[in-house]
Amino acid sequence: MLLETSEHRRIAERDNGLSPWGLWGSYLPDRQWGTVREDYSADGNAWAYFPHDHARSRVYRWGEDGLLGICDEQCRLCFAIALWNGADPILKERAYGLSNPEGNHGEDIKDYFYHLANTPTHSFMRGLYKYPQSEFPYDQLVRVNGERGRDQPEYELVDTGIFEESRYFDVIVEYAKAAPDDILIRIRVINRGPVAAPLTLLPTLWLRNTWSWGYPDEAERSIVLKGDTLSVDAEGVLGPYSFACNSPGEWIFTDNETNSERIFGDENLRSFHKDGFHRYVVDGELSAVNPGQQGTKAARLLRHTLASGEEWIVECRLRSGVPTEPAFGEDFQSIFSERENECQIFFDSKVSCMQGDDRLIHSSGAAGLLWCKKYYGWSVLRWLEGDPTGPTPPPERHHSENAYWRRLHAHDIISMPDSWEYPYFCQWDLMFHAVAFAVFDPATAKHQCLLLRSPHYTAPNAQTPAYEWALSDPNPPIGAWAAMRIFQIDRAANDEPDLPFLRAALRKLMLEYGWWANRNDRSGDNLFEGGFLGLDNIAVFDRRFPLNDGSIIEQCDGTAWMASLSLNMLSICVELSLQEPEYSDVCERFVNDFVQLAITLNTKGTRNYLNWDEEDGFYYDVIKRLDGSTDYLRTRSVSGLVPLLAVASFDVATVLRLPVLDVINSMGWFVHERTTPTWLASHLGQWCNDRILFALVPEDRLRRICERLFDEDEFLSPYGIRSLSKVYEDEPYSFTEGSQTQVLGYSPADSPVAMFGGNSNWRGPVWMPINYLIIESLQKFGHYYGDTLKVEFPTRSGNWINLWDASLQLEDRLVNLFRRNDEGERPFNGKQTLFQDDPHWRDLILFNEYFNGDNGSGVGASHQTGWTAMVCKMITQLSRYPLS
């Protein structure tokens, strides 16, 4: 790697084991309550078992949470801020949101915080929280959302009027590392309101409770006061640490222990509890904190009334050992300035040719991606069997789906989809995160790509876990795609192919490939099983289950995903065979598998149906009844676009080097064994521009799909590709099967149905991940066909362009979600004038889970800066290939 900047050098030191720059980071989770791993109930209702109301008083078993905080990579020692405006009923120690049953579209955060800056080694970090000055409307948010149906928008914090006249504090938390274990902390509070307002601020340090569960190797440690500095004792993994604060105030102490009397109505065995600071500050309960000035949770209690526009600055320092140098010498400000400048230089080196709005979007996306790396701990075996002194799990747990995953043992930093709404790993999300990381931090990208395929995550049958709520759900198999893209991005940046990574990836992926192959042919039709494939409620019926009459749904995307996997595995083997010819033999397997899948999807064979509907020119799901009859489920959705993703081409030199890649030679066997028309597979092995093509979709079908794909009355939104055709807005699709009738309509934003909890929607919105895969596939087709295949973009416009240029047009539309338009508005912010016009809000960018298919407003999880950060890759490409 070229050591271009100071941050590059720190990354190299981290990756080579020379200095542990990754020891500390913004790893503290945003939410731990309401998660499956903290749920010890009999009915599996995690939201009810550990609700938000318990979080301030009840110890977590598997992690911690806090507001814009940090922790070490094992989440042993944690730091975050707590706030009180003098009016709230609750000390603000964590971001608040509604649980899934409370929200009218599932769980939803109701606080506003933003990720402003971060680096791969977390040498500089900045976050912003918007704290209202009047009482936080907890009950109102629950009540109003509870009164609203799924056809109504969510009731947000800004809708309550609490930010009128800018009566709030901007609370900016910044971190700068002087060394891997020496962290400077600066908290800046600005009163944006018109009048003076009081604020209580508690910079808080605490130890995760690992000692209460009955294991002899987990001794309780403590935080004590020495002079005017907190000292963490020398026992444990981290060793001694000290914490200092330069603002005059009161040190208060409590213990990170459950207040059993409040939560369970039981007698407390300890005198001081997790909610001690809340009771002391908000309730005025003087006995809630330890007068002996020691405990496992400590804070500096600071109070100040800020005049309108006033900025209050508090500085702290957390460092290892017993320091002899002053905590707040002359170097404090210089280190902050230096690290902030180095952060800017690092990202400038990635996008040197980028200006203005695109640079802001790019840096914001990177910051969110890096802030959403969080600690994740969970031993499913201990969760099933219980701890010696912990709650006894109910026997029903051993019969749950997750019981199969007893070997899963997580103790890692994982890139989370949304660290509040989805505070856990999600397999197919994580693959997009890993590719996004490759631009900034290749080592982290590689680690995240392979993490869930390591032995302590995979099941005995080689399946990789999906996500915490349903570990056994099958997700789209994009691991091979992610590994290859990370390899390519890294090689392009560093001119050094990391073949050991690619070999390691192939070994793990081969095991998983076998699991996928064994999902084949439930019905003897040689089609691959689908089930949950990451597209939630996209179908008219829930595709995970048979219908009431026993009919099953043969998904058009199940086989397409498997074909795409085969090609991505083939691409990895081809790359490895450049240096190691023995991989040539493996190539043959994936060629044969792909050709078989292509013929299966595009011909009837022994079946009496086909997923391709020649009349409509589209791939559909097919309902197959017990009597053998079939019918199309004619809903044009992105599931019918998934066949586009199975495409690859190779140059002449590669084909000559690996004769097995010449699919024409292999076609003879397949054609000999079949009576179906061979023209349906004639596109396989087709030559053009000195390249050979492997594609699931023949050229004539590609042209017909593109007519709908680029039709603004169907899939083409001003902001990308919709997940469902807009034709179903005025004419919803209805289908009756036996006693079941379902209606599917175009819904550009929130989910209109409760399927999958109702907190996501694939019935119209624009989703970044599937858009990105479509864009890459169009570029592969474009690289192969060149100007020999042109499409009308948009359909009926008379503007004919090649597929490469069409892909850039799509990228531009997606980036426009975040750019200011001609009216000076950023579409993702919707029509909320505060967000669009106020100078203290208008340049704050959130990367939502998905986006309204008509107006581009952000929907779903608001901090989905994993897969939505893929927009950074698009911005980079557009800077190299500007639109004409």
Side-chain angles (χ1 to χ4, degrees):
M1 173 185 291
L2 296 176
L3 302 184
E4 304 168 356
T5 70
S6 296
E7 181 63 14
H8 280 106
R9 288 190 287 273
R10 282 188 287 267
I11 292 170
E13 291 176 9
R14 178 202 66 185
D15 296 346
N16 295 324
L18 300 177
S19 192
W21 283 102
L23 175 62
W24 286 85
S26 45
Y27 307 145
L28 184 66
D30 292 334
R31 176 170 66 85
Q32 188 74 11
W33 61 272
T35 58
V36 172
R37 58 194 182 278
E38 298 291 346
D39 175 21
Y40 284 77
S41 68
D43 60 1
N45 188 339
W47 295 107
Y49 182 78
F50 206 132
H52 173 266
D53 185 56
H54 285 195
R56 68 180 181 275
S57 304
R58 186 172 171 184
V59 171
Y60 297 124
R61 172 62 184 93
W62 297 105
E64 287 290 346
D65 60 14
L67 188 60
L68 294 174
I70 60 173
C71 68
D72 66 277
E73 60 188 356
Q74 295 187 18
C75 197
R76 297 288 184 145
L77 184 59
C78 309
F79 170 84
I81 58 170
L83 304 162
W84 190 53
N85 56 17
D88 280 353
I90 300 172
L91 184 68
K92 174 63 68 172
E93 295 179 277
R94 55 190 52 82
Y96 173 72
L98 302 189
S99 69
N100 190 288
E102 291 172 333
N104 62 323
H105 298 101
E107 64 263 39
D108 185 61
I109 192 169
K110 297 304 179 187
D111 266 313
Y112 295 110
F113 66 90
Y114 300 85
H115 302 132
L116 304 183
N118 211 326
T119 65
T121 64
H122 310 290
S123 58
F124 181 76
M125 300 173 273
R126 177 184 289 140
L128 166 66
Y129 173 63
K130 300 276 189 178
Y131 187 43
Q133 294 172 359
S134 56
E135 180 178 348
F136 197 95
Y138 292 101
D139 294 338
Q140 182 183 358
L141 289 167
V142 174
R143 176 179 53 78
V144 175
N145 277 284
E147 294 169 350
R148 293 189 174 189
R150 294 190 180 277
D151 59 336
Q152 295 176 286
E154 293 174 3
Y155 185 64
E156 305 291 2
L157 181 61
V158 68
D159 298 327
T160 68
I162 202 168
F163 292 107
E164 289 182 2
E165 298 183 294
S166 297
R167 293 178 183 269
Y168 67 90
F169 299 106
D170 268 343
V171 184
I172 303 161
V173 187
E174 299 171 308
Y175 304 91
K177 290 184 181 180
D181 52 2
D182 185 356
I183 303 148
L184 285 58
I185 304 167
R186 184 165 59 198
I187 305 159
R188 296 189 290 129
V189 183
I190 305 170
N191 180 1
R192 298 296 185 193
V195 298
L199 181 68
T200 299
L201 169 65
L202 292 87
T204 306
L205 188 73
W206 74 99
L207 293 159
R208 178 164 65 94
N209 189 326
T210 60
W211 56 83
S212 293
W213 316 106
Y215 300 102
D217 58 338
E218 292 288 356
E220 181 175 353
R221 296 175 290 154
S222 64
I223 303 172
V224 299
L225 188 62
K226 293 184 177 180
D228 197 37
T229 301
L230 297 180
S231 176
V232 182
D233 70 29
E235 299 297 325
V237 175
L238 282 175
Y241 267 78
S242 69
F243 180 80
C245 179
N246 72 345
S247 294
E250 174 189 5
W251 287 111
I252 56 176
F253 295 79
T254 189
D255 287 323
N256 191 10
E257 301 281 355
T258 297
N259 185 340
S260 297
E261 182 178 344
R262 176 177 183 264
I263 299 299
F264 304 114
D266 298 334
E267 180 182 358
N268 282 318
L269 301 179
R270 302 285 292 258
S271 299
F272 305 103
H273 312 104
K274 183 179 177 180
D275 59 8
F277 296 166
H278 162 83
R279 290 154 54 203
Y280 183 76
V281 172
V282 178
D283 298 336
E285 187 178 334
L286 301 183
S287 62
V289 298
N290 189 348
Q293 295 189 313
Q294 67 176 17
T296 51
K297 182 178 179 182
R300 185 79 152 184
L301 179 59
L302 307 171
R303 294 185 173 98
H304 184 60
T305 297
L306 286 78
S308 175
E310 181 184 352
E311 181 175 359
W312 177 28
I313 299 178
V314 174
E315 295 171 341
C316 306
R317 191 164 189 168
L318 176 66
R319 48 186 170 167
S320 66
V322 182
T324 57
E325 297 296 323
F328 306 101
E330 295 180 357
D331 67 336
F332 193 91
Q333 299 304 328
S334 63
I335 291 173
F336 252 108
S337 297
E338 187 176 346
R339 294 295 178 267
E340 181 176 8
N341 185 53
E342 290 168 351
C343 174
Q344 184 67 47
I345 291 172
F346 173 77
F347 286 106
D348 285 350
S349 74
K350 300 293 181 182
V351 288
S352 57
C353 59
M354 197 175 297
Q355 300 296 327
D357 231 16
D358 281 5
R359 183 176 289 272
L360 171 65
I361 298 164
H362 191 275
S363 61
S364 299
L369 181 68
L370 291 159
W371 267 94
C372 284
K373 284 167 57 182
K374 300 296 182 181
Y375 171 79
Y376 184 88
W378 190 23
S379 168
V380 175
L381 179 62
R382 286 189 174 181
W383 178 78
L384 288 168
E385 297 181 351
D387 300 305
T389 60
T392 301
E396 292 90 342
R397 173 162 296 176
H398 290 276
H399 303 288
S400 67
E401 181 183 86
N402 284 356
Y404 177 71
W405 294 85
R406 61 179 56 245
R407 64 192 280 177
L408 192 155
H409 179 84
H411 189 52
D412 298 285
I413 303 299
I414 303 181
S415 175
M416 297 185 178
D418 182 290
S419 54
W420 189 92
E421 189 155 321
Y422 306 119
Y424 38 76
F425 65 82
C426 290
Q427 184 194 145
W428 93 293
D429 304 56
L430 185 55
M431 296 304 97
F432 291 102
H433 306 183
V435 174
F437 267 111
V439 178
F440 311 108
D441 188 355
T444 295
K446 296 166 190 175
H447 174 73
Q448 295 293 313
C449 178
L450 301 185
L451 180 61
L452 299 186
R453 293 173 175 84
S454 56
H456 57 286
Y457 281 94
T458 55
N461 64 357
Q463 183 184 5
T464 51
Y467 66 115
E468 187 176 278
W469 286 91
L471 295 170
S472 295
D473 272 356
N475 279 186
I478 62 171
W481 165 80
M484 191 62 191
R485 291 300 287 120
I486 291 166
F487 172 83
Q488 293 167 332
I489 293 168
D490 182 36
R491 178 178 58 186
N494 300 310
D495 297 322
E496 293 183 9
D498 189 353
L499 295 174
F501 160 71
L502 206 57
R503 285 193 295 268
L506 181 63
R507 288 193 296 269
K508 295 176 184 296
L509 289 163
M510 284 289 283
L511 296 173
E512 185 181 12
Y513 187 87
W515 175 81
W516 267 97
N518 287 325
R519 288 178 60 81
N520 190 15
D521 211 14
R522 170 181 57 183
S523 57
D525 294 334
N526 201 38
L527 292 174
F528 274 78
E529 300 297 284
F532 174 70
L533 282 174
L535 305 183
D536 294 357
N537 59 6
I538 197 165
V540 65
F541 296 110
D542 191 335
R543 302 194 297 174
R544 293 174 295 177
F545 311 112
L547 274 64
N548 292 342
D549 64 0
S551 300
I552 60 174
I553 298 173
E554 296 289 5
Q555 300 172 216
C556 58
D557 53 341
T559 297
W561 281 118
M562 190 64 191
S564 176
L565 173 60
S566 298
L567 284 185
N568 285 313
M569 295 290 281
L570 173 62
S571 296
I572 292 175
C573 292
V574 168
E575 185 65 45
L576 290 173
S577 69
L578 288 169
Q579 301 294 328
E580 301 170 72
E582 58 268 27
Y583 283 98
S584 302
D585 289 343
V586 188
C587 294
E588 185 173 8
R589 162 66 190 267
F590 297 119
V591 170
N592 289 339
D593 282 0
F594 173 75
V595 174
Q596 177 71 68
L597 292 164
I599 293 177
T600 295
L601 191 66
N602 288 300
T603 65
K604 286 187 177 182
T606 59
R607 294 172 289 147
N608 65 342
Y609 66 92
L610 191 64
N611 286 100
W612 173 260
D613 180 14
E614 185 62 28
E615 180 179 348
D616 280 6
F618 205 76
Y619 289 99
Y620 290 128
D621 288 349
V622 171
I623 190 165
K624 183 179 178 182
R625 304 180 181 91
L626 295 179
D627 62 6
S629 63
T630 62
D631 206 347
Y632 285 118
L633 294 174
R634 287 187 170 87
T635 55
R636 290 190 290 280
S637 70
V638 293
S639 64
L641 301 178
V642 171
L644 293 176
L645 309 184
V647 56
S649 67
F650 298 92
D651 58 31
V652 173
T654 300
V655 173
L656 293 177
R657 181 174 55 82
L658 297 171
V660 70
L661 283 181
D662 189 349
V663 73
I664 298 174
N665 294 334
S666 299
M667 281 294 295
W669 179 83
F670 289 102
V671 172
H672 181 268
E673 298 295 319
R674 283 163 173 74
T675 58
T676 52
T678 58
W679 67 266
L680 290 171
S682 62
H683 65 293
L684 300 172
Q686 190 177 56
W687 286 91
C688 183
N689 296 322
D690 292 328
R691 299 187 68 83
I692 192 169
L693 179 69
F694 292 80
L696 200 59
V697 180
E699 181 180 343
D700 65 313
R701 293 181 180 178
L702 172 63
R703 292 179 182 274
R704 295 190 67 185
I705 291 173
C706 283
E707 289 178 14
R708 297 192 184 278
L709 184 66
F710 301 138
D711 189 339
E712 292 179 317
D713 292 332
E714 290 218 35
F715 284 104
L716 185 61
S717 158
Y719 304 102
I721 298 300
R722 300 178 175 103
S723 49
L724 186 73
S725 173
K726 192 175 170 64
V727 297
Y728 304 113
E729 181 175 40
D730 296 329
E731 299 178 8
Y733 178 79
S734 177
F735 193 92
T736 298
E737 182 65 23
S739 61
Q740 290 179 265
T741 298
Q742 294 291 338
V743 177
L744 183 149
Y746 172 78
S747 301
D750 290 310
S751 175
V753 297
M755 195 185 300
F756 288 91
N759 62 337
S760 66
N761 183 23
W762 288 82
R763 297 188 174 188
V766 170
W767 290 76
M768 193 68 69
I770 203 74
N771 268 260
Y772 188 82
L773 292 177
I774 289 171
I775 286 167
E776 280 205 343
S777 296
L778 292 173
Q779 292 182 351
K780 292 176 184 177
F781 278 118
H783 188 46
Y784 173 77
Y785 284 112
D787 287 338
T788 65
L789 194 161
K790 290 191 174 184
V791 294
E792 204 174 11
F793 191 101
T795 300
R796 297 182 299 278
S797 68
N799 178 45
W800 291 86
I801 59 177
N802 62 39
L803 290 174
W804 169 265
D805 289 339
S807 77
L808 297 180
Q809 291 287 344
L810 286 180
E811 286 186 331
D812 191 61
R813 291 184 180 224
L814 287 157
V815 177
N816 283 340
L817 286 163
F818 308 101
R819 291 169 173 156
R820 285 187 187 161
N821 58 24
D822 292 340
E823 289 73 42
E825 298 178 343
R826 302 187 189 276
F828 84 90
N829 269 328
K831 292 299 180 182
Q832 178 51 251
T833 56
L834 175 66
F835 300 161
Q836 296 286 14
D837 301 334
D838 191 289
H840 301 301
W841 293 79
R842 65 195 308 251
D843 288 331
L844 300 173
I845 299 179
L846 292 174
F847 295 82
N848 294 81
E849 184 179 3
Y850 51 101
F851 301 87
N852 187 297
D854 293 338
N855 61 38
S857 58
V859 194
S862 55
H863 295 77
Q864 188 98 1
T865 37
W867 65 25
T868 306
M870 294 298 292
V871 74
C872 297
K873 187 77 171 60
M874 300 181 198
I875 291 175
T876 303
Q877 188 167 69
L878 287 171
S879 70
R880 295 199 307 268
Y881 303 99
L883 299 178
S884 57

